[in-house]
Every structure is written in structure tokens, then in C-alpha cells.
Amino acid sequence: MTPTGLSTTPTSVTLTAGDNAEIKATITPDTAPQTVTATTAGTDLIDIEVIQ
């Protein structure tokens, strides 16, 4: 099944150096592949941990 939607909770976040945030991605429909790739322009500025 092809994904038809992607939403995140929260929809946006602003952080200061040293802060942490968790963003949950929801793909619809539930039967579509549940794979999300996170990217950033500067990996020296951010650390992304994917929790399944």
C-alpha cells in the first residue's frame, strides 16, 4: 500500500543548544510501509536517533 499522508507530533519545535525533543511521525494508512527518513542540512548541529 502506498502512503497517503505523514503527520508529526508536535508539528514544529524550537530548541536551544543542549535541549532535546521527541518528534513522532505518523504515516497513513496504517497498512503502508512505516519508514521515515530524517535529514538535516548540518549534522554537526543535530543528532537524530530513530526509535522504532
Side-chain angles (χ1 to χ4, degrees), residues 3-4 7-11 13-14 16 18 21 24-26 29 32-33 36-37 45-46 48 51-52:
T4 58
S7 62
T8 60
T9 304
T11 56
V13 63
T14 302
T16 305
K24 179 180 179 184
T26 303
V36 175
T37 302
L45 302 175
I46 192 169
I48 298 173
I51 302 171
Q52 300 278 338

Side-chain angles (χ1 to χ4, degrees), residues 5-38:
L6 172 70
S7 62
T8 60
T9 304
T11 56
S12 68
V13 63
T14 302
L15 302 172
T16 305
D19 287 351
N20 295 301
E22 184 174 317
I23 301 170
K24 179 180 179 184
T26 303
I27 298 171
T28 53
D30 291 341
T31 55
Q34 300 293 302
T35 303
V36 175
T37 302

